Amino acid sequence: GCRIPMKIFIALLLLVALVTGCGQPAAQPPSAPNPMPRTIANFGNITTNMTLQQVMDKFGKYDRAVGSGILAYEYDLADGSTALLSPDWPFQLTNRIRGIKFYQRSNAVTHLP
């Protein structure tokens, strides 16, 4: 039969481990398979007993992570508004939602005299 020298076998094994270990990072959660519609009414059912992961299980992955040091997660809603979710420290997927704020994004530029 065909014998592979031990050094080549170990090198191939390490290469496979390196390649498979370089997949998607854990911080990139998968989207929900059948997300609920992103409406203010549906997001209004989010409670402080829910975790960010539970929200993502219902609505899919957030659209943006914002902040510097203190993270919050934005979801774009169907009516053009945005839901901003703030989880408890240390802002991981398993932390409970501390608060939710709805606001309207604007591309308007204010010109001051």
Side-chain angles (χ1 to χ4, degrees), residues 65-76:
V66 295
S68 176
I70 297 177
L71 289 178
Y73 301 90
E74 290 183 330
Y75 280 87
D76 294 331

Side-chain angles (χ1 to χ4, degrees), residues 13-61:
L13 185 63
L14 288 173
L15 181 63
V16 168
L18 180 64
V19 169
T20 57
C22 291
Q24 279 192 343
Q28 295 296 322
S31 292
N34 295 309
M36 292 180 68
R38 292 182 175 189
T39 63
I40 289 178
N42 285 342
F43 269 76
N45 293 322
I46 295 172
T47 69
T48 55
N49 287 325
M50 296 175 71
T51 65
L52 181 57
Q53 182 63 60
Q54 289 171 318
V55 172
M56 291 189 330
D57 290 345
K58 287 183 180 227
F59 299 104
K61 186 176 181 251

Side-chain angles (χ1 to χ4, degrees), residues 10-11 18 26 28 38 50 58 68 70 72 74 80-81 87 93 96 98 102 105 108 110 112:
I10 291 174
L18 180 64
Q28 295 296 322
R38 292 182 175 189
M50 296 175 71
K58 287 183 180 227
S68 176
I70 297 177
E74 290 183 330
S81 64
L93 300 180
R96 290 181 180 184
R98 178 180 36 173
F102 297 99
R105 286 179 106 60
T110 304
L112 299 176

